[in-house]
Amino acid sequence: MRETERDTAGGTAMAVPEPASAGRETAVAGFDANGRLVERNAEWERLAGPSAPGADRAACLAAMIAAFAEIRDFPEADPARSAKIAACWAAPGEPVEARLPDGSWRLLASHDRADGGRSFLAIDITRQEETHALANRLLIENPVAIWAVEAATGRFAFANQAARALYGAARSEDQGLALIERFMMPHQRDIFDSRAAAPGRVDFVDALLETPSGKRLWTAGATKGIAHRGRALTMCTLFDTTESERADHEQARALEILNDAILNLDEALALYDADFRFVMGNARLYEQFYSEVAPPKPGEHSHETIRRLVEAGFYAIPEGMTQEAFLARTLAGVDPRPAETEIALADGRSFLRKIHTTRIGGYFVTFTETTAERRAERAEHEADRLVRTIVENSPTTFLVSRIADGKIIYFPPASQERFGDIESTLSFFLDPKDREDYLAALMETGSLTDYPVRFRRRDGSVMQGLTSARVVTYKGEDVIISSTRDITETLAMQAELERSREIAHQNEKLSALGELLAGVSHELNNPLSIIVGYALMLQDRIDDPALRRRVDRIAQAAERCTKIVHTFLAMARKRPARIEPCDLNEVIEMALDVAGYGLRTEGAEVICDLEPGLPHVAADPDQMAQVLTNLIVNAEHALAGKGPEGRLRLASFHDAEAGEVVVEIADNGHGISRDVQARIFEPFFTTKAVGTGTGVGLAFCHRIVTAHGGRLTVQSEPGRGATFAVALEAIAAPRPRAPAAGPAETHRAARRVLVVDDEPDVADMICDVLAEAGYETEACNRARSALARLAERRFDAILSDIRMPDLDGAGFLEALRRQAPDRVARLGFVTGDALSPPVQALLASSGRPHLEKPLMPEALIALADRLADPGRGDLP
């Protein structure tokens, strides 16, 4: 509870009503000397519930206490809360504040009764609470800095938000800061201390303070000593007068400049106070009006001056008017309000007199010769020219047109240059309905801002724009004043940005598809290795022609699957180009295996016309496969919907005259127009619908072929299909490699091979292939088991998988280097996950030969031969 309320609510100082006289808002109950209820009013029973005479005081007070939602300074968690509240309520001078559930507040007080008992009251103080809350808020949020410091120590007892902002302290720091130590300039501390200690209110001005940030402020304020809860405090208020001081200085300087300007004006000027008494005039005033008449003295009323001028014959008096009448009329014209009056002098000169009010209640009067009228006309004409210059050179389309028929009233040259010599706005709206919609939107409110429009330019092109327009009245009819910004290029840039976003989205999908492709290929590698291995082994063991034919088909299908998987892996592999002699016929077959499914399902005819014995080219086979796959897929899109009528021809030939190998991919699809052919290899250019094409494929192919020193061209006519040709320089065919002089089978029989693979079926297949070749084989499905076997017996070759549980290929290699370093040269890897960065890093760092799954028997035997005889280097 606030201290001020305790002081006014407690003891005998407070007028506490008796039950009989209490108002309805005050609940009262009286108890005798024995603590028994003798009387209570209706408000008490409304709050605490009914209670019979003679009821125990403690029970009655407990019932009343239970009626309150909150009792200030008494926490709910205190188990003795109710007893403490009752004791405080009964104590003289210790009133308690409590809040009812409806939000109203009561002051709980008590006083002695004449019969020796005690009366207890619950007085409604809701309005006082609201007043106190408002007062607190006004104090805290007051823009004036207000604080209180302890008179003895100078430390803060209170500071509002403005004060804390001024001296730079957080709320938690208030109590620990001394004002004069915080920011008062040292030479003014004694002055402040002496004034703060003085009784009553003391005002001070021009106090120079320094904030924590080093900023110096000129301030004014007041201090007053007060007593609060037994402490002597000094209340302080402070106003930042820095800007005022600066403004005063600037104003004085401005007045000095103004005075100098007034005195040196070419125009006559006189300054009067609020009573129209003369203050001062400039030199021009004395020169024009008082060369022969005594000038006015400071304090002289304007009427006296005018009278003297009239009597001296200074003014031209109209014929038929007496001097007295003219004087009366002239004096009546000096109205202490802003006014303009033409005056004529006896010497033939005429002036325009203007009376202006000043901000401090005075007047200044200017006298301008009639030439000022012409000067004003010239200024007005100049202003018109300025507006016209601005409008005519504005980069926006500006015009004024009639609403009814669209007739153009004003059309500046910049707009004419853009739209041509037209007479009506109907000429450049693309559709008459567009203007109808525009007028409907405009007439609804009389104005439009950035309304989208489409106009036809002078050259026939379409301009996208944003129009702002207003309806005004001109010469008695409603007209439209409008200006239009050309946003055609902006919209084109936005469209390009949207396409780029779509391309980025497509690239993300392609990346994800590549990862998925690699994952699927990896999962196929092990079973394909088993199928290929056993199928090829069975080919030489079956004499029955029918069974042999079936096994041949299995072997051929398995080999085809192997090629497809290898092609998938090559396309998904991210590595620098590896230029080597490349047979484009083989690349064509691989690309067709990968991309030909869609053509076959559509029923299209696929013709392969490949020249046998084709010279090799220097190229990266994987990148060439990507190029040809992309071109085949594009042809498939061109043949979509043609069904069996669709035809794709893949041809290769050697152009001996040009020294090139050429591959052609020709389709009988819808063809490509000449304007599209001119841009078809540009990045991000596509004629396909959004979400179907990215504009990346052909640009990518063109970049790869060009990087190989070749050419990618297209020939097409609309409706007659398209032919894409890849031309690369031919090179001499590589010499056939001599058959490896591997160990004879009799020698292989004396050699042992350890196979390490966590897939038992794959390990068994490898063992069977090598056993057929004459090797003694042994399989381990865990790398640690293989290490144990290597410790027990010697092996001439070790074939190990890389991705294995517990101990992988990298760990196996390290353990082998420690356990049997002489056997490292006998180690080779077989893996179905060559795209994995860790696997690639291992293969690159170890320098060990490896094979990628699916495994071909001849490659497997060749690797075993090489490892069994480390001196051999004939493995590809």
Side-chain angles (χ1 to χ4, degrees), residues 567 586-596 624-626 628-630 632:
T567 303
E586 292 182 0
V587 176
I588 293 171
E589 292 174 353
M590 285 192 300
L592 188 59
D593 280 339
V594 172
M624 286 298 105
Q626 293 180 45
L628 297 180
T629 299
N630 216 328
I632 293 172

Side-chain angles (χ1 to χ4, degrees), residues 526 530 534 757-768 781:
N526 285 333
I530 297 170
Y534 284 124
D757 198 304
D758 61 319
E759 290 275 353
D761 291 341
V762 175
D764 291 345
M765 184 276 296
I766 295 174
C767 287
D768 289 344
N781 301 126

Side-chain angles (χ1 to χ4, degrees), residues 645-701:
E645 296 180 1
R647 183 175 67 257
L648 174 67
R649 178 177 175 271
L650 299 172
S652 66
F653 59 90
H654 178 211
D655 185 345
E657 183 177 348
E660 294 176 333
V661 175
V662 181
V663 177
E664 291 183 346
I665 296 93
D667 64 74
N668 65 338
H670 47 70
I672 306 170
S673 63
R674 290 192 176 275
D675 57 334
V676 173
Q677 289 182 47
R679 302 186 59 193
I680 199 167
F681 297 122
E682 292 180 10
F684 308 135
F685 176 78
T686 180
T687 58
K688 299 174 183 177
V690 175
T692 303
T694 64
V696 175
L698 288 176
F700 173 74
C701 294

Side-chain angles (χ1 to χ4, degrees), residues 584 611 614-617 652-663 705 708-713 725-731:
L584 287 183
E611 180 179 316
L614 198 67
H616 286 64
V617 297
S652 66
F653 59 90
H654 178 211
D655 185 345
E657 183 177 348
E660 294 176 333
V661 175
V662 181
V663 177
V705 174
H708 280 74
R711 293 176 291 107
L712 174 59
T713 58
V726 177
L728 296 171
E729 183 181 358
I731 64 173

Side-chain angles (χ1 to χ4, degrees), residues 343-361:
I343 60 174
L345 303 186
D347 62 5
R349 291 179 295 159
S350 62
F351 290 85
L352 177 65
R353 182 186 67 189
K354 295 182 180 180
I355 302 175
H356 309 269
T357 59
T358 66
R359 288 190 300 173
I360 59 175

Side-chain angles (χ1 to χ4, degrees), residues 833-856:
D833 195 17
L835 293 181
S836 169
V839 172
Q840 291 180 351
L842 173 63
L843 295 176
S845 63
S846 67
R848 302 311 305 147
H850 71 281
L851 290 178
E852 293 184 19
K853 298 176 182 178
L855 301 172
M856 300 297 289

Side-chain angles (χ1 to χ4, degrees), residues 80-340:
R81 176 173 176 272
S82 180
K84 290 180 180 179
I85 295 170
C88 188
W89 194 355
E94 289 294 331
V96 178
E97 293 176 355
R99 180 176 59 82
L100 288 167
D102 62 5
S104 62
W105 285 86
R106 297 292 188 273
L107 181 68
L108 309 183
S110 66
H111 64 84
D112 294 333
R113 292 169 54 88
D115 59 2
R118 194 157 188 82
S119 291
F120 291 81
L121 301 90
I123 305 168
D124 189 340
I125 59 169
T126 303
R127 184 169 299 175
Q128 292 93 315
E129 283 290 323
E130 294 173 352
T131 302
H132 287 312
L134 178 60
N136 286 340
R137 182 174 180 183
L138 291 176
L139 182 63
I140 295 297
E141 299 181 4
N142 199 309
V144 176
I146 303 173
W147 69 89
V149 296
E150 295 178 355
T153 64
R155 298 193 177 278
F156 281 96
F158 165 79
N160 69 353
Q161 295 173 357
R164 286 196 299 274
L166 183 63
Y167 59 74
R171 184 183 298 272
S172 61
E173 299 173 333
D174 291 346
Q175 301 297 330
L177 296 173
L179 173 64
I180 60 175
E181 294 173 0
R182 186 61 164 137
F183 62 88
M184 180 159 285
M185 299 297 292
H187 66 276
Q188 292 190 337
R189 292 178 182 174
D190 294 339
I191 299 174
F192 180 84
D193 286 343
S194 63
R195 289 183 176 180
R201 170 173 172 155
V202 177
D203 295 321
F204 61 91
V205 295
D206 297 338
L208 184 59
L209 306 182
E210 185 172 351
T211 66
S213 64
K215 181 179 180 182
R216 293 190 175 189
L217 305 174
W218 286 100
T219 60
T223 67
K224 182 178 181 181
I226 62 171
H228 177 70
R229 301 180 70 174
R231 292 189 296 171
L233 303 177
T234 300
M235 288 290 295
C236 304
T237 60
L238 195 67
F239 299 87
D240 183 356
T241 61
T242 305
E243 293 300 325
S244 177
E245 289 284 338
R246 185 182 295 110
D248 289 345
H249 175 75
E250 292 176 355
Q251 184 176 12
R253 177 62 178 159
L255 288 174
E256 182 181 350
I257 296 172
L258 178 62
N259 186 56
D260 181 69
I262 289 173
L263 292 176
N264 292 281
L265 276 175
D266 289 336
E267 193 173 52
L269 185 145
L271 185 63
Y272 295 86
D273 63 13
D275 297 325
F276 245 98
R277 295 187 180 276
F278 184 75
V279 177
M280 63 171 291
N282 66 351
R284 189 68 171 163
L285 177 75
Y286 292 101
E287 178 186 333
Q288 288 186 336
F289 295 104
Y290 301 108
S291 59
E292 298 179 1
V293 181
K297 298 179 180 179
E300 180 180 289
H301 198 280
S302 62
H303 284 194
E304 297 177 13
T305 307
I306 292 172
R307 184 184 299 277
R308 188 165 61 254
L309 290 171
V310 171
E311 292 175 350
F314 184 74
Y315 291 104
I317 300 176
E319 292 183 9
M321 182 178 289
T322 65
Q323 190 179 77
E324 290 76 12
F326 177 78
L327 177 61
R329 190 187 73 173
T330 303
L331 293 178
V334 182
D335 191 341
R337 291 176 297 179
E340 295 184 3

Side-chain angles (χ1 to χ4, degrees), residues 772-795:
E772 284 284 329
Y775 282 106
E776 179 185 345
T777 61
E778 184 173 337
C780 289
N781 301 126
R782 290 290 183 271
R784 296 191 188 280
S785 301
L787 290 171
R789 291 297 296 145
L790 285 167
E792 296 171 358
R793 53 184 308 194
R794 184 177 183 83
F795 288 90

